DNA sequence: TTGTACGCGTTATCAG
DNA sequence: CTGATAACGCGTACAA
């Protein structure tokens, strides 16, 4: 080899055996006598030979890398998910390529293209409910796992929270505390998780005959700063709701911050409930009432679904649905305006 | 091609030209007439041909992926850094492979091995100051950028905060507030950022003739939960310090939480200052006094250093040193015990 | 059990 | 300006 490193041919030559033999030893394939095998192994360790992954991949037709497409790694929910997925896949011989779509469809499509060009072994998606995406996915013949999202015609493996139920549950919690005028902060329009939660919220309103007020619905890109900014818009509402359901903890924390800095007392004047239960949510001074998505478990299940497909091309598809859990802390209380 | 997809040979054949021509068009290389070029381009777009990156990489001898080794993506400081690095490198045709070492040397060494096997184009490290690592790096001939860490004999590109200065500055802030008995929570022993900050702290103590108390020094793995747990150890100290310098915001937030839940008032009874200035640090209820590392700028500089090397093999090496900035919020106040 | 020869898809070198 | 052909490093039928 040029690079000063050894190639399989070098090893074979120096050892006086064929490349095939060395290849078999590297991959632990049978068909090599014990003595020869040991001899090759020892020699490889001695000179520090490392097989070239690119060449292996080209030959095998696929790379042992799994792509993970998500919105923004800075969101703790995604970071937690990523960490667990990565840990498990790494331990099983795969690397994980994290791709930040920044909630942008074109970027996602671009990543899907790259996923094909790189011949990645698999694809884990926390992605947009967008026709273009779904169309593209159909033509990609590789292990796929959809996480916490729904695509109408997608039939492959997926692990998700019952987000409708989560939205319903969150809103019910507020109703039970006596709230009647409840607002909502949505996520990006392309997030099915957000849509489902919103649908659950609407359902409660309808079931209990409370009117839905368009002016009390906002949209966030799930970032802390955005939540803070939305507080300004919230302040301008004439008849402010007594409670808000917020699409995720990060937005809620920012929103709370903005409201409190404007003098609104939480929860006395405004109850807030959100979704995710990130680590920060339990902190003194934050203590957010939230709906847990069991993110660790979710990541582990996603990773295992991927491994299953990776190891068995014909494995039956699974659709794992997890139950959300209400965690009551200190940002919700009984409505004082009754 | 087998896969149902087109390869360069297919394109060449269908078009009645040679592979070379198609290759030239794909890569925008000169040596193809305008008409032929357009004809090929159109055809490629029409049938949706995508070059196989693995084959390209094998041929070129390197993969357009940059490895990024860090401790734990769940730490917001790393997540911010990662996001910016990724954004810039993606925009320049590279992908970024994030590798979580979990602050474990063996894992890091394993990742370095993989980096070689995969023929990654470059390596960005936020890594341990460990002889084994440094030794390994020497033998890796590829663009490298060290971020916020120091390795004694490393001479390549790096971008870092003056962490000694940061530690000094933080401690001085407390001294100026009248504190005399100041404790410290370190990071993992292998983190040079932590060591440097600790050294700065020791220096202040020495300069002002205040005694150093071993019992008031703890160690964290930079996680929130660990900070919370350390609060329990802190409570057991007989003569508790009136102020603590904490290695990073996440640990500090957890530590604060633990202390407050145990009834300690902050800052009245205990002042806390830390490092990073993550987004959460400015939240109502947290409002941490901290030393900013200008993480966004840091990520951008790291990415640009990498691009520079990627584009110019013989670029001169740079060592960018940034100044830390003290941000005073509400977790420090004048010492009441004077 | 071991070795030979070809294929993987692309780039690069050298003729024409 | 264009084309044939040899690498790139490894896996794998197939032959010995």
């Amino acid at each position: 080899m040029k690079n000063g490193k050894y190639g399989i041919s070098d090893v074979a030559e120096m050892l006086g055996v064929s490349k095939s033999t060395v290849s078999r030893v590297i991959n632990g394939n049978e068909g090599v006598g014990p003595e020869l095998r040991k001899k090759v192994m020892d020699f490889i360790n001695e000179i520090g030979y490392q097989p070239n992954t690119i060449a292996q991949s080209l030959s095998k037709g696929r790379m042992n890398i799994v792509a993970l497409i998500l919105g923004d790694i800075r969101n703790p929910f995604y970071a937690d998910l990523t960490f667990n997925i990565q840990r498990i896949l790494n331990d099983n011989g795969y690397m994980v390529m994290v791709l930040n779509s920044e909630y942008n469809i074109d970027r996602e499509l671009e990543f899907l293209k790259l996923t094909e060009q790189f011949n990645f072994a698999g694809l884990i998606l926390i992605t947009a409910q967008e026709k273009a995406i779904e169309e593209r996915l159909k033509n990609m013949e590789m292990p796929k796992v959809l996480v916490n999202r729904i695509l109408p015609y997608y039939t492959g493996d997926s692990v998700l929270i019952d987000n409708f139920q989560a939205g319903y549950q969150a809103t019910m919690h507020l109703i039970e505390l006596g709230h009647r005028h409840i607002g909502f902060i949505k996520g990006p329009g392309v997030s099915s998780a957000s849509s489902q939660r919103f649908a659950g919220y609407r359902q409660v309103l309808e079931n209990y005959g409370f009117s839905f007020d368009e002016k009390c619905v906002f949209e966030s890109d799930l970032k802390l700063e955005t939540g803070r900014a939305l507080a300004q818009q919230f302040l301008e509402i004439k008849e402010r709701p007594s409670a808000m359901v917020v699409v995720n903890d990060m937005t809620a924390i920012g929103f709370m911050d903005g409201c409190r800095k404007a003098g609104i007392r939480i929860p006395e004047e405004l109850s807030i409930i959100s979704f995710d239960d990130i680590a920060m949510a339990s902190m003194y001074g934050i203590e957010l009432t939230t709906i847990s998505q069991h993110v660790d478990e979710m990541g582990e299940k996603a990773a295992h679904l991927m491994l299953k497909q990776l190891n068995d091309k014909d494995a039956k598809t699974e659709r794992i649905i997890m139950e959300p859990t209400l965690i009551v802390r200190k940002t919700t209380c009984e409505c004082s305006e009754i």
Side-chain angles (χ1 to χ4, degrees), chain A residues 268-289:
Chain A
E268 294 81 358
E269 297 177 59
L270 175 65
S271 282
I272 291 179
I273 185 170
S274 58
F275 305 85
D276 282 356
D277 192 34
I278 60 178
M280 205 59 66
S282 66
M283 297 303 306
Y284 183 96
I286 305 273
E287 289 162 300
L288 207 49
T289 292

Side-chain angles (χ1 to χ4, degrees), chain A residues 6 37 40 149 158 160 175 182 193 198 249 269 296 316 319 336:
Chain A
Y6 300 112
R37 165 162 270 133
V40 175
R149 289 286 185 280
S158 60
L160 37 94
I175 294 283
I182 302 172
F198 186 65
D249 288 349
E269 297 177 59
D296 289 342
K316 70 178 196 305
R319 190 186 182 83
S336 53

Side-chain angles (χ1 to χ4, degrees), chain A residues 94-241:
Chain A
Y94 291 90
M95 310 205 75
V96 176
M97 178 71 76
V98 182
L99 275 4
N100 294 88
S101 75
E102 301 182 38
Y103 310 105
N104 176 328
I105 304 288
D106 291 331
R107 271 185 108 88
E108 260 179 42
L109 288 171
E110 177 68 21
F111 288 150
L112 290 180
K113 183 176 161 193
L114 287 170
T115 297
E116 281 189 320
Q117 293 189 210
F118 272 93
N119 277 294
F120 288 149
L123 181 55
I124 301 179
L125 297 142
I126 316 174
T127 190
Q129 57 171 352
E130 180 76 18
K131 215 190 282 180
I133 301 286
E134 186 155 14
E135 206 57 46
R136 194 73 167 70
L137 285 180
K138 268 188 202 159
N139 304 322
M140 299 179 65
E141 299 258 347
M142 55 166 64
K144 291 189 282 279
V145 175
L146 196 59
V147 180
N148 199 28
R149 289 286 185 280
I150 292 178
L151 290 172
Y153 301 107
Y154 175 83
T155 56
D157 279 9
S158 60
V159 43
L160 37 94
I161 283 283
D162 183 339
N163 277 300
F164 179 89
Q165 165 68 11
Y168 196 96
Q169 207 171 327
T171 314
M172 273 310 295
H173 172 65
L174 296 173
I175 294 283
E176 284 165 2
L177 287 171
H179 295 276
R180 298 297 174 255
H181 190 191
I182 302 172
F184 198 99
I185 298 182
K186 296 201 230 187
V190 294
S191 159
S192 70
S194 167
S195 317
Q196 299 279 313
R197 287 170 196 163
F198 186 65
Y201 154 83
R202 292 292 302 264
Q203 188 66 52
V204 173
L205 260 42
E206 192 178 320
N207 288 0
Y208 287 78
F210 299 131
S211 66
F212 165 65
D213 185 356
E214 188 81 53
K215 288 191 296 298
C216 296
V217 175
F218 304 91
E219 184 171 324
S220 160
D221 59 2
L222 308 184
K223 291 189 221 169
L224 193 148
E225 280 309 328
T226 307
R228 197 178 264 148
L230 285 176
Q232 298 311 312
Q233 294 185 35
F234 177 77
L235 293 171
E236 290 167 12
I237 300 177
K238 274 156 295 183
E239 294 180 39
R240 291 211 286 263

